[in-house]
């Protein structure tokens, strides 16, 4: 097949078409993305420059640096001392879910000649940090799932009772045992004083004593009922 000869005008149009196609392809695939990247980088550079202009160099501290270091070292020594005291105190506390203290208390009651009527764990509701303001409600709702996994012990004020301050969820959480005894005043007194001689520390949180409605025969001591809440 014989290709017809193109005149000068047709050759010029074909050349212009090729230039337009090549230039358009370059603009779409190379120039436009590169231009967008340059514009984004210029915008980021302007934002960084604006932040640098607004940045403020902090003033030199008025306090003496050596004095601050000395105070920091004093705080660290105080923390170490408190930690050592806490570790020594922790060795005197019975492990959680330990039956050794329950057995020791039962043995002490037998030696003190008192009868244990009730010996059960005392349940106290767990304490949680209250919401400080309405502004924190939205934040608390968002962090509810995180709080279920990461809980911080609560430190209740000194005005709270020790039963609340030792409840689950608090910094001083300890198992609490409710014991109801029956015996004479002398035997109950002996039992209470004998708590200090047990293998682990026992703290009396609440003590109630009342006499039985039935009077004791003449010459016999009046039988009393004593309720104790013990922190083990």
């Amino acid at each position: 097949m014989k290709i017809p000869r193109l005149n000068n005008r047709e050759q010029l149009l074909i050349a212009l078409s090729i230039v337009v196609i090549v230039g358009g392809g370059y603009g779409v695939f190379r120039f436009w993305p590169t231009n967008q990247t340059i514009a984004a980088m210029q915008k980021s550079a302007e934002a960084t420059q604006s932040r640098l202009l607004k940045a403020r160099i902090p003033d030199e501290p008025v306090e003496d640096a050596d004095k601050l270091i000395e105070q920091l070292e004093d705080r660290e020594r105080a923390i170490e001392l408190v930690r050592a005291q806490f570790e020594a105190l922790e060795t005197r506390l019975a492990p959680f879910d330990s039956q050794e203290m329950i057995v020791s208390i039962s043995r002490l009651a037998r030696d003190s000649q008192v009868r244990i009527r009730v010996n059960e764990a005392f349940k106290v509701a767990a304490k949680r940090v209250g919401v400080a303001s309405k502004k924190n409600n939205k934040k608390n709702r968002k962090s509810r799932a995180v709080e279920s996994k990461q809980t911080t012990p609560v430190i209740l004020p000194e005005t709270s009772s020790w039963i609340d301050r030792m409840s689950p969820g608090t910094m001083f959480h300890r198992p609490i045992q409710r014991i109801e005894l029956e015996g004479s005043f002398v035997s109950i007194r002996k039992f209470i004083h004998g708590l200090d001689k047990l293998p682990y520390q026992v703290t009396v949180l609440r003590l109630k004593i009342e006499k039985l409605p039935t009077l004791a025969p003449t010459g016999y001591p009046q039988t009393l009922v004593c309720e104790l809440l013990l922190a083990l």
Side-chain angles (χ1 to χ4, degrees):
M1 179 177 179
K2 187 176 180 181
I3 300 175
R5 183 180 181 85
L6 301 177
N7 55 32
N8 293 336
R9 183 173 177 277
E10 292 174 341
Q11 292 178 2
L12 179 62
L13 292 175
I14 293 174
L16 290 176
S17 300
I18 294 174
V19 171
V20 171
I21 293 173
V22 173
Y26 177 82
V28 171
F29 295 105
R30 293 294 301 274
F31 176 78
W32 181 254
T34 304
N35 188 49
Q36 291 291 99
T37 303
I38 294 174
M41 294 178 64
Q42 289 179 347
K43 187 176 181 180
S44 177
E46 293 175 357
T48 303
Q49 186 178 6
S50 178
R51 288 194 299 268
L52 291 175
L53 293 176
K54 295 180 181 179
R56 178 180 176 274
I57 300 176
D59 299 331
E60 182 179 359
V62 181
E63 296 84 355
D64 186 6
D66 295 335
K67 184 178 180 181
L68 293 176
I69 294 174
E70 183 180 356
Q71 292 177 354
L72 179 60
E73 292 176 350
D74 291 340
R75 299 295 187 274
E76 291 178 350
R77 285 193 293 267
I79 292 174
E80 290 296 330
L81 179 60
V82 172
R83 182 181 291 110
Q85 294 176 348
F86 175 77
E87 291 176 353
L89 179 61
E90 192 176 17
T91 58
R92 299 175 54 192
L93 300 177
F96 280 84
D97 300 329
S98 174
Q99 295 299 317
E100 182 179 357
M101 284 300 298
I102 306 300
V103 175
S104 300
I105 291 173
S106 300
R107 186 183 302 114
L108 176 62
R110 184 175 64 253
D111 296 340
S112 303
Q113 297 181 352
V114 295
R115 185 175 71 89
I116 295 182
R117 300 172 58 176
V118 178
N119 189 358
E120 61 185 6
F122 186 76
K123 302 296 183 182
V124 185
K127 304 301 177 183
R128 299 181 62 186
V129 180
V131 180
S133 63
K134 294 182 179 179
K135 295 181 180 180
N136 295 331
N137 287 340
K138 185 177 181 180
K139 182 179 179 181
N140 290 339
R141 285 194 298 268
K142 291 181 179 179
S143 60
R144 189 170 300 168
V146 178
E147 290 178 354
S148 61
K149 298 180 180 180
Q150 300 177 352
T151 57
T152 303
V154 180
I155 301 179
L156 297 181
E158 296 181 357
T159 54
S160 303
S161 66
W162 271 110
I163 297 176
D164 291 335
R165 296 172 71 181
M166 290 188 172
S167 60
T170 61
M171 179 68 71
F172 307 106
H173 174 218
R174 293 300 304 168
I176 300 177
Q177 197 75 10
R178 177 181 175 272
I179 298 178
E180 193 173 302
L181 306 174
E182 182 179 322
S184 64
F185 176 80
V186 176
S187 59
I188 293 176
R189 180 178 179 274
K190 182 180 179 181
F191 174 83
I192 295 175
H193 282 276
L195 294 174
D196 293 335
K197 300 178 182 179
L198 293 180
Y200 295 102
Q201 180 174 334
V202 178
T203 304
V204 180
L205 302 181
R206 188 171 72 189
L207 170 64
K208 290 183 179 180
I209 299 180
E210 59 183 8
K211 65 180 181 179
L212 291 177
T214 305
L215 296 177
T218 305
Y220 290 89
Q222 176 64 46
T223 303
L224 303 176
V225 176
C226 176
E227 182 193 36
L228 291 168
L229 285 186
L230 306 177
L232 305 183

PDB file of all heavy atoms in Angstrom, residues 59-74:
ATOM      1  N   ASP A  59      13.385  31.496  80.646  1.00  0.00           N
ATOM      2  CA  ASP A  59      14.348  32.288  81.417  1.00  0.00           C
ATOM      3  C   ASP A  59      15.254  31.377  82.235  1.00  0.00           C
ATOM      4  O   ASP A  59      14.898  30.257  82.589  1.00  0.00           O
ATOM      5  CB  ASP A  59      13.604  33.245  82.342  1.00  0.00           C
ATOM      6  CG  ASP A  59      12.734  34.219  81.554  1.00  0.00           C
ATOM      7  OD1 ASP A  59      13.100  34.518  80.399  1.00  0.00           O
ATOM      8  OD2 ASP A  59      11.699  34.664  82.091  1.00  0.00           O
ATOM      9  N   GLU A  60      16.392  31.863  82.528  1.00  0.00           N
ATOM     10  CA  GLU A  60      17.329  31.111  83.348  1.00  0.00           C
ATOM     11  C   GLU A  60      16.776  31.000  84.770  1.00  0.00           C
ATOM     12  O   GLU A  60      16.290  31.988  85.335  1.00  0.00           O
ATOM     13  CB  GLU A  60      18.687  31.821  83.369  1.00  0.00           C
ATOM     14  CG  GLU A  60      19.739  31.090  84.163  1.00  0.00           C
ATOM     15  CD  GLU A  60      21.061  31.837  84.132  1.00  0.00           C
ATOM     16  OE1 GLU A  60      21.122  32.892  83.468  1.00  0.00           O
ATOM     17  OE2 GLU A  60      22.006  31.370  84.776  1.00  0.00           O
ATOM     18  N   PRO A  61      16.775  29.812  85.366  1.00  0.00           N
ATOM     19  CA  PRO A  61      16.207  29.669  86.718  1.00  0.00           C
ATOM     20  C   PRO A  61      16.960  30.538  87.717  1.00  0.00           C
ATOM     21  O   PRO A  61      18.190  30.683  87.655  1.00  0.00           O
ATOM     22  CB  PRO A  61      16.384  28.171  87.015  1.00  0.00           C
ATOM     23  CG  PRO A  61      17.471  27.720  86.094  1.00  0.00           C
ATOM     24  CD  PRO A  61      17.339  28.554  84.864  1.00  0.00           C
ATOM     25  N   VAL A  62      16.165  31.110  88.628  1.00  0.00           N
ATOM     26  CA  VAL A  62      16.754  31.972  89.651  1.00  0.00           C
ATOM     27  C   VAL A  62      17.475  31.136  90.705  1.00  0.00           C
ATOM     28  O   VAL A  62      18.499  31.549  91.263  1.00  0.00           O
ATOM     29  CB  VAL A  62      15.653  32.842  90.299  1.00  0.00           C
ATOM     30  CG1 VAL A  62      16.257  33.764  91.353  1.00  0.00           C
ATOM     31  CG2 VAL A  62      14.933  33.646  89.232  1.00  0.00           C
ATOM     32  N   GLU A  63      16.938  29.917  90.993  1.00  0.00           N
ATOM     33  CA  GLU A  63      17.513  29.081  92.033  1.00  0.00           C
ATOM     34  C   GLU A  63      18.899  28.606  91.642  1.00  0.00           C
ATOM     35  O   GLU A  63      19.233  28.454  90.470  1.00  0.00           O
ATOM     36  CB  GLU A  63      16.611  27.878  92.324  1.00  0.00           C
ATOM     37  CG  GLU A  63      15.241  28.237  92.875  1.00  0.00           C
ATOM     38  CD  GLU A  63      14.262  28.579  91.782  1.00  0.00           C
ATOM     39  OE1 GLU A  63      14.699  28.620  90.605  1.00  0.00           O
ATOM     40  OE2 GLU A  63      13.083  28.826  92.084  1.00  0.00           O
ATOM     41  N   ASP A  64      19.671  28.343  92.666  1.00  0.00           N
ATOM     42  CA  ASP A  64      21.010  27.809  92.456  1.00  0.00           C
ATOM     43  C   ASP A  64      20.903  26.348  92.040  1.00  0.00           C
ATOM     44  O   ASP A  64      20.204  25.561  92.673  1.00  0.00           O
ATOM     45  CB  ASP A  64      21.816  27.948  93.751  1.00  0.00           C
ATOM     46  CG  ASP A  64      23.270  27.541  93.540  1.00  0.00           C
ATOM     47  OD1 ASP A  64      23.640  27.279  92.382  1.00  0.00           O
ATOM     48  OD2 ASP A  64      24.012  27.481  94.529  1.00  0.00           O
ATOM     49  N   ALA A  65      21.597  25.960  90.983  1.00  0.00           N
ATOM     50  CA  ALA A  65      21.527  24.586  90.489  1.00  0.00           C
ATOM     51  C   ALA A  65      22.047  23.596  91.525  1.00  0.00           C
ATOM     52  O   ALA A  65      21.483  22.517  91.718  1.00  0.00           O
ATOM     53  CB  ALA A  65      22.312  24.459  89.185  1.00  0.00           C
ATOM     54  N   ASP A  66      23.124  23.949  92.216  1.00  0.00           N
ATOM     55  CA  ASP A  66      23.682  23.050  93.239  1.00  0.00           C
ATOM     56  C   ASP A  66      22.695  22.836  94.386  1.00  0.00           C
ATOM     57  O   ASP A  66      22.575  21.726  94.922  1.00  0.00           O
ATOM     58  CB  ASP A  66      24.992  23.620  93.786  1.00  0.00           C
ATOM     59  CG  ASP A  66      26.080  23.674  92.719  1.00  0.00           C
ATOM     60  OD1 ASP A  66      25.984  22.870  91.767  1.00  0.00           O
ATOM     61  OD2 ASP A  66      26.995  24.514  92.836  1.00  0.00           O
ATOM     62  N   LYS A  67      21.978  23.887  94.734  1.00  0.00           N
ATOM     63  CA  LYS A  67      20.994  23.766  95.805  1.00  0.00           C
ATOM     64  C   LYS A  67      19.839  22.862  95.379  1.00  0.00           C
ATOM     65  O   LYS A  67      19.339  22.049  96.167  1.00  0.00           O
ATOM     66  CB  LYS A  67      20.469  25.151  96.187  1.00  0.00           C
ATOM     67  CG  LYS A  67      19.508  25.129  97.358  1.00  0.00           C
ATOM     68  CD  LYS A  67      19.069  26.539  97.726  1.00  0.00           C
ATOM     69  CE  LYS A  67      18.101  26.508  98.907  1.00  0.00           C
ATOM     70  NZ  LYS A  67      17.653  27.885  99.268  1.00  0.00           N
ATOM     71  N   LEU A  68      19.414  22.996  94.115  1.00  0.00           N
ATOM     72  CA  LEU A  68      18.346  22.146  93.615  1.00  0.00           C
ATOM     73  C   LEU A  68      18.777  20.680  93.581  1.00  0.00           C
ATOM     74  O   LEU A  68      18.006  19.784  93.924  1.00  0.00           O
ATOM     75  CB  LEU A  68      17.932  22.597  92.209  1.00  0.00           C
ATOM     76  CG  LEU A  68      17.252  23.970  92.106  1.00  0.00           C
ATOM     77  CD1 LEU A  68      16.996  24.314  90.643  1.00  0.00           C
ATOM     78  CD2 LEU A  68      15.938  23.968  92.883  1.00  0.00           C
ATOM     79  N   ILE A  69      20.025  20.417  93.177  1.00  0.00           N
ATOM     80  CA  ILE A  69      20.526  19.045  93.163  1.00  0.00           C
ATOM     81  C   ILE A  69      20.578  18.472  94.577  1.00  0.00           C
ATOM     82  O   ILE A  69      20.230  17.310  94.817  1.00  0.00           O
ATOM     83  CB  ILE A  69      21.920  19.006  92.503  1.00  0.00           C
ATOM     84  CG1 ILE A  69      21.815  19.386  91.021  1.00  0.00           C
ATOM     85  CG2 ILE A  69      22.559  17.639  92.660  1.00  0.00           C
ATOM     86  CD1 ILE A  69      23.144  19.504  90.319  1.00  0.00           C
ATOM     87  N   GLU A  70      20.972  19.295  95.539  1.00  0.00           N
ATOM     88  CA  GLU A  70      21.027  18.840  96.932  1.00  0.00           C
ATOM     89  C   GLU A  70      19.633  18.510  97.458  1.00  0.00           C
ATOM     90  O   GLU A  70      19.434  17.509  98.159  1.00  0.00           O
ATOM     91  CB  GLU A  70      21.687  19.914  97.797  1.00  0.00           C
ATOM     92  CG  GLU A  70      21.851  19.506  99.255  1.00  0.00           C
ATOM     93  CD  GLU A  70      22.518  20.597 100.075  1.00  0.00           C
ATOM     94  OE1 GLU A  70      22.908  21.634  99.483  1.00  0.00           O
ATOM     95  OE2 GLU A  70      22.642  20.424 101.302  1.00  0.00           O
ATOM     96  N   GLN A  71      18.661  19.364  97.125  1.00  0.00           N
ATOM     97  CA  GLN A  71      17.283  19.089  97.550  1.00  0.00           C
ATOM     98  C   GLN A  71      16.754  17.814  96.899  1.00  0.00           C
ATOM     99  O   GLN A  71      16.045  17.026  97.535  1.00  0.00           O
ATOM    100  CB  GLN A  71      16.393  20.278  97.198  1.00  0.00           C
ATOM    101  CG  GLN A  71      16.689  21.538  98.002  1.00  0.00           C
ATOM    102  CD  GLN A  71      15.837  22.707  97.572  1.00  0.00           C
ATOM    103  OE1 GLN A  71      15.088  22.617  96.586  1.00  0.00           O
ATOM    104  NE2 GLN A  71      15.929  23.813  98.286  1.00  0.00           N
ATOM    105  N   LEU A  72      17.088  17.607  95.623  1.00  0.00           N
ATOM    106  CA  LEU A  72      16.655  16.389  94.940  1.00  0.00           C
ATOM    107  C   LEU A  72      17.251  15.145  95.597  1.00  0.00           C
ATOM    108  O   LEU A  72      16.565  14.145  95.777  1.00  0.00           O
ATOM    109  CB  LEU A  72      17.061  16.458  93.464  1.00  0.00           C
ATOM    110  CG  LEU A  72      16.714  15.241  92.603  1.00  0.00           C
ATOM    111  CD1 LEU A  72      15.204  14.995  92.595  1.00  0.00           C
ATOM    112  CD2 LEU A  72      17.233  15.418  91.187  1.00  0.00           C
ATOM    113  N   GLU A  73      18.522  15.216  95.970  1.00  0.00           N
ATOM    114  CA  GLU A  73      19.154  14.081  96.641  1.00  0.00           C
ATOM    115  C   GLU A  73      18.501  13.815  97.998  1.00  0.00           C
ATOM    116  O   GLU A  73      18.341  12.654  98.404  1.00  0.00           O
ATOM    117  CB  GLU A  73      20.646  14.346  96.802  1.00  0.00           C
ATOM    118  CG  GLU A  73      21.405  14.365  95.473  1.00  0.00           C
ATOM    119  CD  GLU A  73      22.869  14.716  95.649  1.00  0.00           C
ATOM    120  OE1 GLU A  73      23.232  15.133  96.779  1.00  0.00           O
ATOM    121  OE2 GLU A  73      23.633  14.594  94.676  1.00  0.00           O
ATOM    122  N   ASP A  74      18.122  14.880  98.719  1.00  0.00           N
ATOM    123  CA  ASP A  74      17.421  14.695 100.001  1.00  0.00           C
ATOM    124  C   ASP A  74      16.082  14.002  99.799  1.00  0.00           C
ATOM    125  O   ASP A  74      15.710  13.110 100.580  1.00  0.00           O
ATOM    126  CB  ASP A  74      17.206  16.052 100.683  1.00  0.00           C
ATOM    127  CG  ASP A  74      18.512  16.667 101.164  1.00  0.00           C
ATOM    128  OD1 ASP A  74      19.498  15.916 101.323  1.00  0.00           O
ATOM    129  OD2 ASP A  74      18.550  17.903 101.363  1.00  0.00           O
TER     130      ASP A  74
END
